[in-house]
Amino acid sequence: MTHRQKKMIAAVTVCSLAWGIAPAANAMHIMEGYLPVSYCIAWGVLSLPFLAAGLMKIRKTLDENRRALTLLAMSGAFIFVISSLKIPSVTGSCSHMTGTGLGAILFGPCTVSILGVIVLIFQAILLAHGGLTSLGANTFSMAVAGPFLSYGIYLLGRKCKLSRLMTVFLAAFLGNLFTYCVTSVQLALAFPSQAGGAAASAVKFLGVFAPTQLPLAVVEGLLTAAVVVCLEAYAKPELKSVGYLTEVQAYGKEA
């Protein structure tokens, strides 16, 4: 890795620390103590298989290629930074970017489940941003559901021969929105409407999230595409080592 690349990684780390210590208001997706205990346990159990798969994937990746550690750390820092910048939304929650699309594109969705849960734990303990009781639900929405959709959109974009940057944008944009769709369902299941049940409640939660989340999803898509452009310019060996540039060359160079 060149001196210029080391400076870029150091700058990302400094920014993540500087922005991450900002005072927290409200919670990540679902705040501490907001969900009933049974739902906290259920979502935690549901997330465990993905976390186990993520640990195995990271171990395999690093055993085969230690150079991937740099990109892995940068992907985690990216999640930490932009998911810490939040806008208060519906009671007990807030809107913010997730940052998980980048890691899903580079390493696959299972790996991002580990990066996401680490970020959620740090924010819950150090920033009062989210909570430990709601960790399972937040992990499933942000570190499992969103990354899987982002990865699926990325694969679909490659198959459809979309331009590279458009594919990256759509993957990050739709992954962000899907995270909040899942969050709305989680809240609706825990607090169904007396009139229309969980379905009506989910629609109401989505309606409250949409005004703030839609523009944030667009910004996240643009930021993720910009980061990919920077990586392609300054970290080609690292991208090639994780197979990203090889995949890009395989499905077209039009972007």
Side-chain angles (χ1 to χ4, degrees):
M1 188 165 57
T2 66
H3 180 66
R4 190 172 188 177
Q5 292 170 355
K6 290 180 179 179
K7 288 176 66 177
M8 182 180 71
I9 298 301
V12 170
T13 303
V14 170
C15 288
S16 67
L17 292 175
W19 294 358
I21 60 176
N26 290 348
M28 173 151 272
H29 291 301
I30 303 173
M31 69 180 180
E32 186 77 82
Y34 194 72
L35 288 178
V37 175
S38 59
Y39 286 87
C40 295
I41 295 173
W43 288 113
V45 170
L46 195 58
S47 299
L48 286 177
F50 300 98
L51 295 175
L55 280 175
M56 291 187 289
K57 180 68 182 299
I58 289 177
R59 179 179 296 180
K60 180 181 178 181
T61 300
L62 295 182
D63 285 344
E64 295 176 351
N65 177 27
R66 297 296 297 179
R67 178 176 280 179
L69 183 60
T70 302
L71 283 180
L72 197 63
M74 190 220 66
S75 298
F78 185 69
I79 295 172
F80 184 83
V81 170
I82 69 173
S83 65
S84 296
L85 307 175
K86 52 203 177 294
I87 299 174
S89 185
V90 67
T91 301
S93 187
C94 63
S95 291
H96 60 80
M97 294 176 281
T98 64
T100 55
L102 176 65
I105 290 169
L106 297 178
F107 296 100
C110 289
T111 297
V112 180
S113 67
I114 297 299
L115 299 179
V117 75
I118 291 173
V119 168
L120 287 166
I121 291 172
F122 267 83
Q123 291 180 333
I125 294 176
L126 300 179
L127 307 179
H129 187 190
L132 295 178
T133 59
S134 58
L135 182 63
N138 290 334
T139 297
F140 188 83
S141 62
M142 188 182 99
V144 175
F148 266 90
L149 184 73
S150 291
Y151 188 65
I153 295 297
Y154 178 68
L155 294 180
L156 182 62
R158 287 171 47 192
K159 187 174 182 179
C160 295
K161 305 297 183 181
L162 295 180
S163 69
R164 183 174 72 261
L165 294 183
M166 177 57 70
T167 301
V168 171
F169 170 82
L170 289 175
F173 170 74
L174 294 175
N176 179 293
L177 291 183
F178 189 62
T179 295
Y180 275 86
C181 290
V182 174
T183 300
S184 297
V185 171
Q186 290 173 324
L187 292 171
L189 290 174
F191 305 101
S193 171
Q194 292 182 350
S201 184
V203 171
K204 291 180 180 178
F205 281 122
L206 284 169
V208 175
F209 279 134
T212 53
Q213 201 57 38
L214 280 170
L216 286 176
V218 172
V219 172
E220 177 169 345
L222 294 174
L223 283 175
T224 304
V227 169
V228 168
V229 170
C230 291
L231 289 175
E232 290 178 356
Y234 299 109
K236 285 186 178 179
E238 286 75 12
L239 288 178
K240 188 174 294 185
S241 70
V242 298
Y244 173 78
L245 287 182
T246 302
E247 293 175 353
V248 166
Q249 293 165 358
Y251 87 95
K253 301 179 181 179
E254 69 274 19

